[in-house]
Every structure is written in structure tokens, then in C-alpha cells.
Amino acid sequence: MLASMHLRIYTAKLVRTMNPSFPTANAVAVADGQIVEVGTLESMQPWLDAHTHEIDETFADKVLMPGFIDPHLHPSLSAMLLPMHFITAMEWKLPDRTVPPTTTPEDYLAELQRIESEMATADEPLHTWGYHNLWHGEVNRQMLDAISTTRPIIVWQRSFHEIYVNTPGLDWSGLDLDRIASHPQVDLEEGRFSETGKNIAMAQMNAYLLAEDRFRLGLDLTAAAVHQGGQTTIGDLTGGLLDTDNEWDAMCAALDRPEVPFRVQMIPAGIRGTTGASGIEGGLALVKHRAERGTQRLFYRNNVKLFTDGGFYAQLMQVGGVGFIDGHHGEWLMPPELFEQLARMYWNAGYQIHVHCTGDLGVELALDTLAKLQWERPRFDHRFTIEHFGLSTPEQVRRIADLGAIVSANIYYVHELGEAYWAGSVGYERASQMARVGSLERHGVTTAYHSDFTMAPCQPLVSAWVAVNRVGESGAVMGAEERASIDAAMRAITIDAAYVLGMESEIGSISSGKKADFTVLDEDPYEVDPMRLKDINIWGTVFEGHKFPLATR
Amino acid sequence: MIPLTVIGGYLGAGKTTFINKMLTETSGQRIAVLVNDFGDLNIDVDLIADHDGETYELTNGCICCAIGDDLDETLRGITGSANPPDAVVIEASGVAEPDRVATYGGAWNGLELAKTIVVVDVETITQLASDKFVGGLVMRQIAAADSIHLSKLDLVDDQRLAHVTNWLADKTPRSVGA
């Protein structure tokens, strides 16, 4: 700190510091992007006497919280999707639009028709994201041709496993239709491309989806969405998703600018570079190599991501015991032996390991592996993190606590999938207990909430609202015993999320010496009706001392 | 139609050794083999006519390709080739369900599913079958086989071999050989 500095004092109706030793205040002194002192104008008088200062009363009737943190999302993925038209079963509040829920097949087609008719240029492709047959019924080429026989229409399923296109879409895609007609996961008659068939179609469309201008627009919309949610730090949890130099350059160009009010911790996937001559050691070399690059706003730390089981939205999680209602099986994203080898390598190299686990058997593999590693080479403060945490058992929560692991949960699963998975996946008992954050709180496990955007909206107050209320799509409570307290929920989007990213000494609470990152709210989350948490108006943020109001719409 | 054979079996079962043998001991058939990784494939250097990192061409007319990230592209190359092979063999990954690979590969125009062979390591199989993470998968792999190939016979005694053979007979009606 400089011997002489100029202080800016933000006064507020209330400052929720999230520092339990000094929980509330109504003034924060800031200099050079750093918090100097928290308290009242009276208590900070010695600082005011010693330095020049100005008092900023912009927040006189607002509530300041530490800048919100989403420790797990994917900016490159949202950059591809946000320029698309959203038609979704849930409401989505996006920076440039609010998407109302569309929950029936009739409404889905009507909405698609409306979007088509309002598009300005006649041949511009219409990409729409969010389709899900549980709500929207069947879609096929003929139905899409009925909407337009001239404009390419490409329907992206919510979990990216399928796309549907109309006849102009087939032409526009540039696919060699004769060649791909024989592909078992391509149905040209229906206009349907699934799994690897979808990958072929997507590879062909990448030139469009990843075109410099479009990708930049998508990153700018992503940045706006992150700001809109009140976030000042995010984690890119396979940073970057595509892992190309072009992607890194595009992310730096879009996000490493003074106008962008947040920082991005990049966490690389530890599986890359592990095949071929160098073996798994190639993965460690690549992770080290990635960490050599970094800018002020995009940086790597000492973290790596691994995977156990398949996707939660795709119902490919590994489920123990009696499995799924329909008898299908989940999948392992890598053989358990390879997972253990990789985990051991990164563990012994001193990394914090984040493990994508969606089903209870995936969690079990992560915990069994952690137990072995602890036996072989005990570590304290290792922060082995269970990511997603869809299905689990109460017994596993106790083991998580005993082994010193922590959790970053996609709590939104409860809201969007709780009732859907009751009816069509694992039944009520297990579906109602997904993302069991109440148990984590009772066992004192450090827990963050994430969005995995666009798996969930990147709005931490929405995550907190789901955690505290656990209301499903219909409004019914799913798993009342697993509701979180308001304090646990607010910690999960501030100080505990900072802990998951290994940044708790720099961000996550409002206290002297930390970065001056604030989320500015109209109301106090601790005092509002819990069902209104997600509706609290966000004025904007302060990032490293600078005010970033949200544009009023 | 080109006959397709799928080789399944858990990680470390001995699929690569089996494939090596298949490639080098073929009697005149030109086989195209799609493997997950060249890492453990140890083709006799005298048999290699040419290789470019993704494909090995052998002096006996067989070829061996790494699947990499794109099984589709590899299959398209083979079925669309001006000089197609006599047979195609796909090595399923250790955590794959062989019947899914068989259904998928067999649905390609120009390919016809001939059979699924699952390689079983006689030393470890009974323990693996009760593993809490992959036990179910390993049993589904065995159930998906048209025939079972036993591997690593040199690591066990006759008593163990008899035990595994009886155990397998109890689990599957399929033929079991070494």
C-alpha cells in the first residue's frame, strides 16, 4: 500500500461482508482496486484523517455483497449458443432478452414460427437452442419445412446430443448428403443428426458457429450475462473448451479489456495430451505448459479437471444400486483405472483436482480414489472437489467430509430436472434428493454452487433460490430436508466459491486487503422472503474499485 | 458387404495382443483393423510396408488405423475406398458396451455385422466381474459376445483355468476358446 493514497468511500444501507467475524457494515473504503477498511464512517476515521478521500453515496440505499463467483462454466460453449434464438422449457433471463418458458409442442412450433417471421433477412440461418422432447414433443424435417421452405432452420437440443434441420438447412450445411446417408445416426428423412452424426454436422457448421465475428459476439454476450448475474469472478472449468490458440486469442481479445468487469480462472482438462508416445505424463506437461500463459483477467492456477461418469442431462451418469427405471446404463468417460492413474499423477504433483461426477457411482469412484491417494501420500488442504454432484448418497456426504473433499454443485438440476427425473429417470426418492446440499451443510463441507452455463442460468441468486427452496418446475418442493440455509447459500456464491477456486485470500468477502469486488443489490438476501431471492434487483457490480452499473432495460 | 467383427473386452484384457495375432497370422485375407491407440500395438517391423502416423500398411495387405476422435471418418474412408478390404475389425474401447459398437458399425452402408468377440483375461476376470464400478459393464461385455477368447493362459494353472471356464459356462452359452 502506498504511503499516501486517495480513498473512495462507498456508503451503503448495508454491507453484508460474508466475513463471519465482522458480518455487517455500512461503509467500505477503497483505493487502487483494493479494500482498505470496512466499517462505518466513524470507525474508519483514522484512515480518513491520514489520506485524501471522497465519499460516494451511489449505494446509499443499496446492499453491498462480495462480488458473486461462479466457479464452473464454459464461456466458449455459451459463446456458440448465445447468438442463437432460445426456445426453452424454463425461463431464461439473458442480457439482451428474457425468454419466457415454452412447455408444449404446440407452443414450441408457434414460437419458432414467430421467430422466423420476425427475422430481417430472408436467407439468414435460424439456429435455435433449448428444444427438449420431454416438453416439446417431436420435431422433424417436415414440421420445420412447414415453418420455412427457404430459410435454413437448425434446432439444437438442450443437451447438444441432437440437432434437427429442415430441407434448406440440409442444403445450407454443405454436407455431402450421399456420403452421410448411410450413417447410422443420421436420418435425412427426419432431418435428425444425433451423437456422432451430430458431430459430423457440427464440424461442417463450425466455420459458421466459430466464425470470428460470431464467436466474438457470443463472448460479448457471455460477458454481459456474467455481469448481469452480478459476478466478478468465474472459473472456466475446461479452460478453454476447444483448447486451440485461436480460442485463447479470441477469449483474450473479448475478455481481457478494461470494460469487462470480471476475471476468469482457467482450469485445464487433465486428460488432454495423455495418449500417444508420452503417455499420461504428457497430460501433466500440457497442464504445466498452459499455466505459463495468462493475462490480468484470464489466468491459470494450480488446478486441473478430471472426469468420472457421463452427462447428467443426457442421463449417462453412473447410478449404483438398482439403476434407472428404463434399465439403461450410464457410462464411464474413462476407465476407472485410468482415472486413478491420472488422479495420482496430479495429486503427487500437488494439484487441486476437480472431478466431474454426476451419478452416485461416479462420486463413489472419486471418493475411493481419494481414499487411496490419502493412504499413499496424505495431503491436507488439498481441496479435491466433487463437481456437479447430481446423484449421491447421505453416506457419501459423510465420506466427503472425512476425506477433506469439497463440493461445487449444479443446484439448478433440482429445479429443472427434479420432477422430470422422478417421472422418467430414477423415481421420486432419488430424484428429490439430487444435489443434496442440506446434508453437505450439516456435515460442514465447503460447498459452492455453479451454473455450468448454459446447463443452468449464470445467475448466482437463482442458484441460491433453488438451494434454499428446492422448488421443482411445478413449484412443488423436492427434498425439503436437503434445503440449504440462506447463509450457506450466500456463502456458496461468495466466500466458499472463492475457496473452491483457491482464491479465498483475495476475493469472496468484503474485508481489508481483498480486491474491491462488490455485487450491488436493492434488497438484503437475508431479509427477503426466500421465494423472492431470485427476483432481487441487481444494480450492477464494482470490479476492482470501479463501478459497473447494469444497463436498465 | 464387408463383414465386420467387433473386439470387446475390458481394459487390459488382451485385445491388442489378440489383434496383433490376427493381423500377422491372416491367411490371405486383407483385414482393416481400427484400434483405439497404437500405444501398445507392437507390429513386427518386417511386416510394416508403410506408415504415416494414422495408418499402418502391412506387407500382407492388411491395414491398421487409429480411430482417434473420429470413428465415422475412418469408417467412411474404408467403406468408400476404391479397393475395400475383405474384412473390417473394430476394437471397442475398454469401457465400451460391445453391442453398442456392433449395432453402430453394423448399420453402416457397406458393412455387415459378422460377430462380436470378447477377450477375457483368465487371471482377473472373476475379480473384475464383482468390481463395484465396472462389474456390471464387464458382465454385459461377456453377454454381448458371440464368442469368448481367453487370454493370459500362461499366467494361471490348470485348476484356475478350469474354474474360469466353468464360471463362464455358467454366465454365457457362447463358445469359449483360447
Side-chain angles (χ1 to χ4, degrees):
Chain A
M1 190 104 332
L2 302 171
S4 169
M5 58 187 173
H6 183 70
L7 301 175
R8 178 181 290 266
I9 319 299
Y10 290 110
T11 55
K13 182 169 68 182
L14 176 68
V15 180
R16 285 276 179 198
T17 67
M18 299 311 289
N19 167 9
S21 308
F22 200 95
T24 57
N26 52 34
V28 186
V30 171
D32 302 317
Q34 192 175 29
I35 297 166
V36 174
E37 170 95 350
V38 183
T40 63
L41 286 176
E42 294 72 38
S43 71
M44 60 179 63
Q45 197 58 46
W47 283 100
L48 305 186
D49 291 342
H51 299 279
T52 61
H53 60 269
E54 61 194 289
I55 294 179
D56 186 328
E57 297 186 328
T58 311
F59 308 135
D61 65 343
K62 306 289 184 195
V63 175
L64 292 193
M65 292 217 48
F68 292 159
I69 299 163
D70 186 333
H72 184 153
L73 40 67
H74 302 287
S76 297
L77 186 59
S78 50
M80 276 190 265
L81 289 170
L82 284 172
M84 296 182 185
H85 297 272
F86 277 35
I87 309 176
T88 50
M90 305 288 137
E91 179 186 78
W92 282 75
K93 284 184 179 150
L94 297 171
D96 55 341
R97 66 208 124 128
T98 293
V99 182
T102 300
T103 55
T104 67
E106 299 72 34
D107 289 350
Y108 183 84
L109 291 175
E111 181 63 4
L112 195 55
Q113 182 83 63
R114 185 192 65 77
I115 290 169
E116 200 284 331
S117 66
E118 290 176 7
M119 285 175 74
T121 45
D123 56 353
E124 184 194 343
L126 191 176
H127 286 265
T128 175
W129 175 82
Y131 163 76
H132 198 301
N133 66 343
L134 278 178
W135 289 272
H136 304 136
E138 188 193 350
V139 165
N140 59 38
R141 177 174 162 183
Q142 292 69 34
M143 293 159 91
L144 299 176
D145 279 346
I147 290 170
S148 177
T149 53
T150 53
R151 182 192 304 287
I153 299 178
I154 299 94
V155 172
W156 294 74
Q157 200 240 13
R158 196 217 187 288
S159 69
F160 317 109
H161 284 263
E162 290 171 340
I163 59 174
Y164 295 84
V165 299
N166 66 348
T167 304
L170 284 176
D171 298 339
W172 172 83
S173 71
L175 288 162
D176 182 339
L177 300 185
D178 291 337
R179 284 188 74 189
I180 61 164
S182 60
H183 192 290
Q185 289 168 326
V186 173
D187 185 336
L188 292 178
E189 197 59 37
E190 297 277 308
R192 179 172 186 269
F193 296 75
S194 60
E195 305 296 344
T196 63
K198 181 223 63 180
N199 294 342
I200 293 171
M202 197 171 161
Q204 188 70 30
M205 287 190 281
N206 267 350
Y208 174 86
L209 295 172
L210 298 175
E212 195 176 339
D213 290 352
R214 189 182 191 280
F215 196 64
R216 174 57 188 265
L217 169 68
L219 283 172
D220 288 345
L221 286 169
T222 299
V226 169
H227 182 211
Q228 182 189 33
Q231 293 151 112
T232 53
T233 302
I234 59 172
D236 180 343
L237 219 76
T238 36
L241 191 67
L242 313 168
D243 202 33
T244 62
D245 289 341
N246 281 347
E247 180 193 37
W248 174 253
D249 292 344
M251 286 183 75
C252 288
L255 303 179
D256 193 41
R257 296 184 299 126
E259 298 82 4
V260 174
F262 58 89
R263 61 185 75 80
V264 187
Q265 182 173 334
M266 310 283 283
I267 297 175
I271 183 71
R272 289 188 187 123
T274 56
T275 55
S278 56
I280 65 166
E281 295 289 333
L284 182 58
L286 187 64
V287 166
K288 283 181 178 164
H289 179 63
R290 286 283 171 267
E292 287 166 7
R293 63 188 185 187
T295 69
Q296 189 198 343
R297 280 181 171 73
L298 281 83
F299 53 90
Y300 291 80
R301 292 274 175 99
N302 191 39
N303 311 45
V304 68
K305 183 184 183 190
L306 295 176
F307 304 81
T308 59
D309 53 340
F312 200 67
Y313 276 91
Q315 293 206 51
L316 289 173
M317 59 281 199
Q318 286 281 15
V319 179
V322 297
F324 293 94
I325 295 169
D326 67 4
H328 84 272
H329 302 287
E331 67 183 26
W332 294 111
L333 294 182
M334 61 178 82
E337 289 85 347
L338 177 60
F339 170 75
E340 184 181 318
Q341 284 173 22
L342 289 168
R344 179 175 290 110
M345 176 174 72
Y346 290 113
W347 177 267
N348 289 339
Y351 279 82
Q352 179 184 350
I353 301 169
H354 300 253
V355 187
H356 158 115
C357 304
T358 54
D360 57 299
L361 210 53
V363 172
E364 190 77 359
L365 173 59
L367 295 179
D368 280 11
T369 305
L370 176 57
K372 277 186 200 171
L373 299 177
Q374 284 287 32
W375 171 258
E376 294 168 9
R377 180 170 178 158
R379 278 176 61 187
F380 296 91
D381 194 18
H382 50 79
R383 305 192 193 188
F384 188 98
T385 310
I386 304 293
E387 299 279 342
H388 301 320
F389 199 58
L391 298 179
S392 65
T393 67
E395 292 74 22
Q396 288 175 333
V397 171
R398 184 184 286 192
R399 280 187 86 197
I400 288 171
D402 288 349
L403 290 165
I406 58 179
V407 172
S408 177
N410 188 338
I411 187 70
Y412 196 75
Y413 288 156
V414 177
H415 179 60
E416 179 156 351
L417 297 177
E419 286 164 329
Y421 280 14
W422 162 14
S425 180
V426 293
Y428 185 79
E429 182 190 348
R430 284 177 291 164
S432 67
Q433 298 174 63
M434 60 173 68
R436 58 173 76 254
V437 294
S439 295
L440 292 170
E441 183 179 357
R442 288 189 286 276
H443 282 82
V445 176
T446 299
T447 301
Y449 305 152
H450 68 241
S451 67
D452 202 9
F453 189 53
T454 56
M455 291 299 124
C458 62
Q459 291 168 303
L461 285 176
V462 170
S463 300
W465 170 79
V466 178
V468 169
N469 299 292
R470 290 185 74 92
V471 292
E473 187 195 359
S474 73
V477 173
M478 298 294 288
E481 303 306 323
E482 292 299 340
R483 286 180 295 200
S485 70
I486 182 65
D487 190 56
M490 297 317 288
R491 279 188 277 120
I493 59 175
T494 58
I495 188 64
D496 287 0
Y499 190 87
V500 165
L501 291 177
M503 295 185 71
E504 75 281 5
S505 64
E506 301 152 78
I507 58 173
S509 67
I510 300 178
S511 55
S512 179
K514 288 198 175 184
K515 293 187 189 298
D517 296 348
F518 313 128
T519 301
V520 184
L521 306 174
D522 281 4
E523 295 174 273
D524 178 6
Y526 285 74
E527 295 296 330
V528 300
D529 172 356
M531 279 302 286
R532 285 193 55 248
L533 264 178
K534 68 178 170 57
D535 305 315
I536 293 176
N537 184 57
I538 301 175
W539 172 90
T541 57
V542 173
F543 179 68
E544 298 189 352
H546 298 284
K547 286 183 282 190
F548 287 89
L550 283 164
T552 47
R553 284 185 290 134
Chain B
M1 294 292 242
I2 308 171
L4 167 71
T5 302
V6 173
I7 311 291
Y10 193 65
L11 186 77
K15 296 190 293 296
T16 305
T17 307
F18 181 70
I19 286 167
N20 248 330
K21 207 162 171 240
M22 205 171 185
L23 270 174
T24 52
E25 294 179 4
T26 174
S27 53
Q29 257 207 335
R30 291 169 50 256
I31 309 173
V33 182
L34 281 58
V35 298
N36 285 301
D37 190 350
F38 286 135
D40 302 323
L41 201 67
N42 189 15
I43 302 170
D44 187 340
V45 72
D46 293 338
L47 272 173
I48 299 172
D50 197 11
H51 79 97
D52 66 357
E54 285 179 14
T55 304
Y56 281 86
E57 287 179 31
L58 306 190
T59 51
N60 62 10
C62 293
I63 58 170
C64 183
C65 320
I67 294 168
D69 294 329
D70 200 348
L71 177 61
D72 293 306
E73 191 54 44
T74 314
L75 282 176
R76 199 174 306 129
I78 288 170
T79 53
S81 161
N83 182 22
D86 301 322
V88 173
V89 174
I90 300 178
E91 177 198 12
S93 103
V95 285
E97 313 258 353
D99 50 345
R100 286 188 193 170
V101 179
T103 306
Y104 178 74
W108 269 86
N109 212 358
L111 291 183
E112 184 176 40
L113 183 64
K115 64 175 170 175
T116 299
I117 301 173
V118 170
V119 182
V120 165
D121 176 345
V122 292
E123 193 186 20
T124 60
I125 186 63
T126 48
Q127 193 189 350
L128 209 49
S130 59
D131 183 90
K132 72 174 159 179
F133 300 118
V134 298
L137 169 68
V138 164
M139 292 313 294
R140 290 196 299 279
Q141 289 178 337
I142 288 173
D146 294 311
S147 68
I148 307 269
H149 174 83
L150 300 179
S151 71
K152 311 203 180 173
L153 299 176
D154 53 329
L155 298 180
V156 299
D157 57 23
D158 290 348
Q159 194 185 350
R160 169 70 187 170
L161 181 59
H163 171 69
V164 171
T165 311
N166 288 335
W167 179 86
L168 275 170
D170 204 37
K171 306 290 177 198
T172 172
R174 305 302 181 194
S175 72
V176 177

